[in-house]
Amino acid sequence: MNTFKCTQCDTVGLTDGFIEDAGEHSRGYARWIEGALERGVFGGAKRMGRPRWQIEAYRCPKCGHLELFASNQV
Ligand SMILES: [Zn+2]
């Protein structure tokens, strides 16, 4: 628990968590990548050389709203 406040219903104290990436070669967590999405020739996102940030997702226990933060570069 923490003192984060839900921006939807003003409840204080959000539940810590993260967004899972269950893809086959994933590290298990989703990341935020700097720069607008560009797709390569095979349709996949171009992400070479871009900074990546781990996404933290805090869930409001009352309304279920997620507050997302990307504060740690990975
Ligand atoms: Zn809420």
Side-chain angles (χ1 to χ4, degrees), residues 5-11 14 59-65:
K5 191 161 122 182
C6 177
T7 55
Q8 293 297 305
C9 72
D10 287 342
T11 295
L14 305 181
R59 182 181 178 275
C60 173
K62 193 175 169 196
C63 75
H65 174 73

Side-chain angles (χ1 to χ4, degrees), residues 6-25:
C6 177
T7 55
Q8 293 297 305
C9 72
D10 287 342
T11 295
V12 174
L14 305 181
T15 309
D16 294 54
F18 65 96
I19 297 180
E20 183 188 23
D21 178 355
E24 209 158 313
H25 299 290

Side-chain angles (χ1 to χ4, degrees), residues 11 18-19 27 29 34 39 45 54-55 58 65 67:
T11 295
F18 65 96
I19 297 180
R27 295 175 186 203
Y29 56 89
E34 197 170 313
R39 291 174 202 265
Q54 182 189 327
I55 300 173
Y58 296 89
H65 174 73
E67 295 281 350

Side-chain angles (χ1 to χ4, degrees), residues 35-60:
L37 173 64
E38 291 173 57
R39 291 174 202 265
V41 277
F42 299 110
K46 286 188 185 171
R47 53 205 168 182
M48 288 292 281
R50 294 198 188 178
R52 291 142 201 246
W53 299 76
Q54 182 189 327
I55 300 173
E56 291 105 49
Y58 296 89
R59 182 181 178 275
C60 173

